């Protein structure tokens, strides 16, 4: 008696080049997904994260890497897409919505990911939202993900006919420490990732923005050496 070959699940994975998305991609690979990585050149203030996304995709091994270009600088409204200064050494991380929030970014990204998934017959869309982010970013919260899943099911052909693609958020209840511990088990090389909102001209992390602080504290809590290349102190 011959066994029926196991169906390969195709997944679109949103890849920013940061710590969370690198872990997400490795986790999807460990679960035998066929990986379609989707990254966004959206007018962010630096190119370093796009370069990191390419490195992570190459190192992990993906079936396809798609870079989608759009210009959210036209709207501004965020320290990541305008001349607004990136906050440094903030003592209110997680209190209110920070100026690094990009208006409707995940809503836009997921809409594009759904279209990409429909064309590629992908059953899943993986996004690395997590508990550290959703205290400050409304488009990282569980209720937003649930609401967007409903949008997929009512507003797309594949969703209305089959209920797919499904949104997959395996990091949503994890802290940075837990994400790093998971990534270490999966063999993620965090030295090729980038998290900083405001790197210097050499691409080194500023060490003082919220993203740098949360990343550094995550490595400290996990007891893992931080491989991040930081700019010299005082610069």
């Amino acid at each position: 008696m011959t066994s029926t070959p196991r169906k390969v699940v195709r997944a679109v994975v949103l890849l920013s080049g940061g710590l969370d998305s690198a872990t997400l991609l490795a986790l999807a690979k460990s679960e035998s997904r066929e990986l379609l990585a989707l990254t966004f050149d959206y007018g962010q203030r630096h190119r370093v994260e796009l370069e990191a996304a390419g490195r992570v995709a190459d190192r992990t091994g993906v079936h396809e890497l798609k870079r989608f270009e759009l210009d959210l600088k036209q709207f501004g409204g965020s320290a990541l897409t305008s001349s607004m200064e990136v906050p440094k050494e903030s003592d209110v991380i997680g209190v209110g919505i920070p100026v690094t929030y990009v208006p409707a970014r995940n809503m836009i990204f997921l809409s594009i990911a759904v279209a990409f998934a429909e064309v590629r017959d992908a059953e899943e869309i993986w996004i690395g939202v997590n508990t550290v982010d959703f205290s400050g970013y409304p488009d990282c919260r569980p209720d937003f993900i649930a609401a967007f899943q409903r949008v997929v099911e009512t507003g797309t052909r594949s969703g209305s006919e089959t209920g797919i693609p499904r949104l997959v958020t395996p990091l949503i209840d994890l802290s940075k420490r837990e994400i790093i511990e998971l990534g270490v088990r999966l063999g993620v090389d965090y030295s090729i990732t980038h998290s900083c909102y405001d790197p210097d001209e050499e691409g080194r992390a500023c060490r003082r923005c919220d993203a740098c602080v949360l990343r550094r504290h995550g490595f400290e809590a996990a007891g893992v050496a931080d491989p991040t290349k930081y700019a010299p102190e005082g610069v």
Side-chain angles (χ1 to χ4, degrees), residues 141-217:
R141 296 172 183 165
D143 54 352
F144 166 75
I145 296 298
F148 202 91
Q149 182 68 63
R150 181 61 179 158
V151 168
V152 172
E153 293 167 0
T154 58
T156 67
R157 182 177 63 186
S158 63
S160 62
E161 292 178 348
T162 65
I164 61 173
R166 297 180 296 274
L167 303 184
V168 181
T169 59
L171 309 184
I172 200 162
D173 292 321
L174 303 186
S175 66
K176 279 288 186 284
R177 173 185 63 80
E178 292 168 323
I179 292 170
I180 291 168
E181 289 172 342
L182 172 60
V184 169
R185 292 195 298 271
L186 294 169
V188 174
D189 179 1
Y190 287 120
S191 71
I192 65 173
T193 67
H194 178 86
S195 301
C196 179
Y197 292 145
D198 193 25
D200 68 8
E201 293 181 353
E202 297 181 30
R204 297 175 299 187
C206 75
R207 81 173 60 238
R208 296 184 294 122
C209 69
D210 288 358
C212 281
V213 171
L214 291 171
R215 179 181 171 114
R216 187 171 65 252
H217 288 173

Side-chain angles (χ1 to χ4, degrees), residues 129-151:
V129 293
N130 68 85
T131 184
V132 173
D133 288 333
F134 70 64
S135 58
Y137 295 123
D139 56 359
C140 290
R141 296 172 183 165
D143 54 352
F144 166 75
I145 296 298
F148 202 91
Q149 182 68 63
R150 181 61 179 158
V151 168

